[in-house]
Each structure stands twice: as structure tokens, then as C-alpha cells.
Amino acid sequence: MKAKLGISALVLLFLTGLWLVAAPFAVGYQPRGAGYTDATVNDLWVGGGLAAVSFVALVIYAADSLRELARRGKHADV
């Protein structure tokens, strides 16, 4: 149960990061053709960082789970 909750939280953080990156353009507070506003720069840095960290955490969790499954399979053959 704790693992499902953790994975769900990481997926939610990843999607939140993606939304923060897309929000200035989807919502429209970044004018087309204009220089990036401070709010856009903030959203891009925070959203990109959040998405990157949560994605790395998901990859690490998946690699650890695969390693655990492989270890269990190796011991089952003995």
C-alpha cells in the first residue's frame, strides 16, 4: 500500500511539473512573440525541476523494483 501511495505521489508531482511548464502558454499569460515574463520563467524553472526530479525518482524506483524481482527469481530457482 505504501508503495502505491508513493508511486501515485511521484506521478502526481511529475504531472504537476509538466502542467507548470505548459501553463504560461495554455492559459495565455505569456504573450506570443514577446520576451518571457518573470512568471513564465518561474514556471519553466520550477515545473521543469519538479518534473525532472520526480521522473528520476520514478526511474530509480522502477529499477529497484526490477532488481528486487530479478533477485527473487534467482533465489526461486535454487
Side-chain angles (χ1 to χ4, degrees):
M1 179 65 179
K2 288 182 183 180
K4 288 183 181 179
L5 183 62
I7 291 172
S8 299
L10 286 173
V11 168
L12 184 62
L13 285 173
F14 179 71
L15 293 175
T16 301
L18 291 181
W19 169 248
L20 282 173
V21 170
F25 311 103
V27 175
Y29 62 83
Q30 172 59 44
R32 285 188 180 206
Y36 285 170
T37 63
D38 289 339
T40 300
V41 171
N42 185 54
D43 277 359
L44 292 175
W45 277 106
V46 172
L50 187 62
V53 168
S54 58
F55 181 76
V56 167
L58 283 168
V59 168
I60 290 171
Y61 181 81
D64 187 50
S65 296
L66 288 174
R67 183 175 44 230
E68 180 67 24
L69 286 173
R71 190 175 60 104
R72 285 183 189 174
K74 191 180 288 186
H75 292 299
D77 292 339
V78 176

